[in-house]
Amino acid sequence: MSNKQSRIIAIDGPSGSGKSSVSKRVGAALGFLHVDSGALYRIMTWQCLKLLGDTSNPEEIEAVSRKVQVDFAAKDGAVIYLVDGEEPGNVLRTPEINRHASAVATVKAVRDRVTAWLREMTRFGDLIVEGRDITTAVFPETPARFYLEASAEARAERRRKEEVEKGIANQSAEEVKASLLARDKIDSSRKYAPLKKADGVTVIDSTYLTLDQVVQTVMDALPAEWKR
Ligand code: DC
């Protein structure tokens, strides 16, 4: 717990741009807890599919979003999420959730609830938060804001490998790329808090960079007093 003002590193970017790997590494180096905001949208999507069977009706999604209960705890360098006392794990990473998450994330009530949760997490102390609207809507005032990007091919290949390694799915590179581009389109064109490069963010294209190089670029751009 922290009673001084939390320091926040905000990282946005499309799927597969490397946000998670980079956030975990930078967070571990500095002692900032890693926060995966996309997992909260995935929890909302999971609950909508469970209770509604689909995600076609924004009013029903809004009603579900008001009911979803999530508990938060700090564990192993991250803020973890508990639904009914358990971490949902890989059920949040299925192609079905991938397909429906962007639609659920367009609903304002969903975004408001997740944004409130994220802001409450500052009670845990310093955070490195990754998502799509962290630099623009959730923590726009923080001095440490980054936008990660990479070519669609590089992003699809990273996601495909991850799905195979975790035993979640075995889709072709083309299928993964199509699903990722479909989500990018919805995430960037939605009415509320779309994914975009905010003025003043540090943009990093990770297509041809190693993870170490991206981590170093982020570290170099942080306020000097945060690294002591
Ligand atoms: O990062 P991810 O793939 O786990 O995100 C899942 C979905 O949630 C994705 O379609 C975009 C959405 N999202 C969002 O709208 N805002 C965020 N801050 C994080 C994720």
Side-chain angles (χ1 to χ4, degrees):
M1 289 282 173
S2 159
N3 46 21
K4 66 175 171 54
Q5 177 115 32
S6 295
R7 295 172 295 185
I8 308 287
I9 301 171
I11 305 196
D12 283 328
S15 228
S17 57
K19 299 185 301 288
S20 288
S21 318
V22 173
S23 307
K24 284 177 192 158
R25 282 271 305 271
V26 173
L30 296 174
F32 284 40
L33 292 178
H34 173 231
V35 176
D36 173 5
S37 67
L40 295 169
Y41 288 95
R42 288 172 179 271
I43 286 174
M44 289 287 197
T45 308
W46 178 47
Q47 295 297 307
C48 284
L49 289 172
K50 197 150 101 180
L51 297 169
L52 305 172
D54 75 357
T55 59
S56 57
N57 184 333
E59 281 166 23
E60 288 179 351
I61 294 174
E62 176 169 345
V64 170
S65 77
R66 295 192 196 285
K67 278 189 259 173
V68 173
Q69 288 299 329
V70 184
D71 291 316
F72 303 102
K75 185 183 161 196
D76 300 335
V79 178
I80 59 158
Y81 315 138
L82 302 164
V83 180
D84 294 327
E86 285 186 34
E87 286 187 73
N90 283 345
V91 297
L92 300 180
R93 309 269 151 208
T94 62
E96 195 193 11
I97 303 260
N98 289 345
R99 247 192 331 274
H100 291 270
S102 289
V104 171
T106 61
V107 176
K108 186 166 186 304
V110 170
R111 305 207 66 81
D112 288 347
R113 188 106 200 268
V114 171
T115 298
W117 281 334
L118 293 168
R119 291 187 181 144
E120 277 168 27
M121 287 178 202
T122 53
R123 72 189 160 94
F124 291 113
D126 298 329
L127 307 176
I128 179 159
V129 189
E130 52 151 313
R132 304 289 191 291
D133 66 340
I134 311 304
T135 62
T136 56
V138 183
F139 295 114
E141 309 293 336
T142 182
R145 296 186 304 152
F146 298 87
Y147 186 98
L148 253 58
E149 59 188 359
S151 72
E153 290 69 29
R155 296 189 290 117
E157 185 48 26
R158 288 174 193 164
R159 270 291 136 93
R160 195 192 64 78
K161 265 174 82 180
E162 195 179 279
E163 287 181 2
V164 172
E165 276 164 16
K166 291 187 177 166
I168 297 168
N170 196 354
Q171 305 184 96
S172 70
E174 278 312 306
E175 279 172 309
V176 178
K177 185 174 155 192
S179 137
L180 193 133
L181 290 177
R183 281 199 286 151
D184 283 0
K185 197 167 167 205
I186 304 175
D187 293 340
S188 320
S189 60
R190 67 178 173 229
K191 184 169 171 198
Y192 304 109
L195 171 67
K196 64 174 185 213
K197 280 178 210 165
D199 284 345
V201 296
T202 301
V203 178
I204 305 172
D205 183 334
S206 70
T207 310
Y208 301 111
L209 297 180
T210 63
L211 177 57
D212 281 346
Q213 288 171 318
V214 181
V215 167
Q216 196 53 53
T217 310
V218 170
M219 296 290 282
D220 288 346
L222 293 174
E225 63 275 17
W226 291 18
K227 291 178 267 184
R228 281 188 208 120

